[in-house]
Structure formats: C-alpha cells, structure tokens
Amino acid sequence: IRGSADGSRVYVGGDFTEVDGVARGHIAAFNTATGALLPWAPNIGGQVRGLAVTPSTVYVGGNYPSANGVLRTHLAAFQVSNAAITDWAPAVAGTGGYVWAMVMSPDQSQVVVGGSFATLNGMAAYGMGALDATTGATRPWAAQERIRTAGLNGGITSLKADDTTIYGSGYA
C-alpha cells in the first residue's frame, strides 16, 4: 500500500483479480476521501508486492512476467494519469528471486528495491539495489555491499524512507 504525494489516492497491490466486483489485475487505486475504487487499472500478470509512487508515476514490483501485456521481469511503471505503461523496464533475476518491497529515495531520483533476487539489470544485487527513476538503470547502492540476502533462503521484505534515510528489514 502506498499513498499519493497529495493524499488523494491510495494504491494497493497484491494477489487479487477483482475488487468490489470489478476486474483488477493485482493492483487498484482508491479515492481517499470517498473510498471509491478509481478507474485507474493497469493489468499486472501476477502478484504485486512492492509499490513506490511519485506525482506522475507508480512503480510496481512483485512476482510477475508481464504488465499491460508487455514483457516485464518483476518491475514495471505506470503513468498516474492514465495507467499507461512506461518505458521503465529494469529486471531482477535469481532462483526464487522477485521484488518484495520498493520505496522512492528521499530526493525521488531513485527507486530502491528489495526482495529475494540475486541480480538487478544483470548485475549482482543480493536482494537490494537502487534504480534510476527515469531510465531504470542500476545506480550505486552502498548498502548492498554489506547486506547480502537473496535467493530461496533470504530477502529484503520491507523498505521505508524518511527525509534522509532508507530503512529496511529482511531475513536470511
């Protein structure tokens, strides 16, 4: 669950295909004032576990092979305005590896991802890493040099941010 910056929406991801009797592909948006389901409706091809939100983009991570019918390896992004998929297409891989959590960096220039993946865009990542919010390119992320938990026996399960720091939890 992630809220929009202006507080008008809440985005929910999970392992569902229907909300209030309306078809939804593992993600939905609600109006926070009324609780109404919004027409914003991307179609994710499997479980959504992580969300990160900016005023213009919703970043989605999880365990899925496609989004809006386009090949995406556990990561995709959608326009807030119309749910159109963007060109942002980084990939994670590894035995049992997928995205469990996501958060925007305090300056909103990076999407920090956590999970049980071993690689991020083909580079060793061991369960966490940072991606450019515009291009999806892998960015340096010092925490992954000390924290290495990935694969079938480990992962980063949650990420939160404040104005200066990113916090996470996991298991190994």
Side-chain angles (χ1 to χ4, degrees):
I1 297 175
R2 291 278 188 228
S4 62
D6 66 3
S8 67
R9 291 180 176 197
V10 64
Y11 298 92
V12 178
D15 199 10
F16 56 85
T17 57
E18 187 176 294
V19 175
D20 293 336
V22 178
R24 287 293 187 266
H26 305 278
I27 191 167
F30 297 89
N31 179 302
T32 56
T34 66
L37 178 66
L38 295 172
W40 187 86
N43 186 22
I44 310 297
Q47 186 182 57
V48 171
R49 297 199 53 118
L51 298 167
V53 179
T54 70
S56 62
T57 308
V58 177
Y59 300 89
V60 180
N63 186 14
Y64 57 84
S66 65
N68 280 9
V70 177
L71 178 66
R72 292 289 192 264
T73 308
H74 310 299
L75 290 163
F78 302 90
Q79 294 176 8
V80 166
S81 61
N82 61 9
I85 196 166
T86 71
D87 291 336
W88 193 81
V92 300
T95 302
Y98 58 91
V99 177
W100 290 53
M102 303 170 78
V103 69
M104 296 305 299
S105 64
D107 68 1
Q108 305 237 321
S109 68
Q110 298 179 87
V111 182
V112 179
V113 297
S116 53
F117 51 87
T119 65
L120 185 58
N121 288 332
M123 300 171 63
Y126 305 105
M128 69 179 338
L131 298 163
D132 185 281
T134 302
T135 67
T138 304
R139 303 286 301 272
W141 191 246
Q144 74 186 44
E145 298 305 317
R146 296 201 180 265
I147 301 167
R148 293 175 173 255
T149 180
L152 297 174
N153 297 312
I156 303 299
T157 57
S158 69
L159 294 167
K160 300 287 182 195
D162 64 18
D163 291 340
T164 60
T165 305
I166 305 238
Y167 304 90
S169 64
Y171 70 98

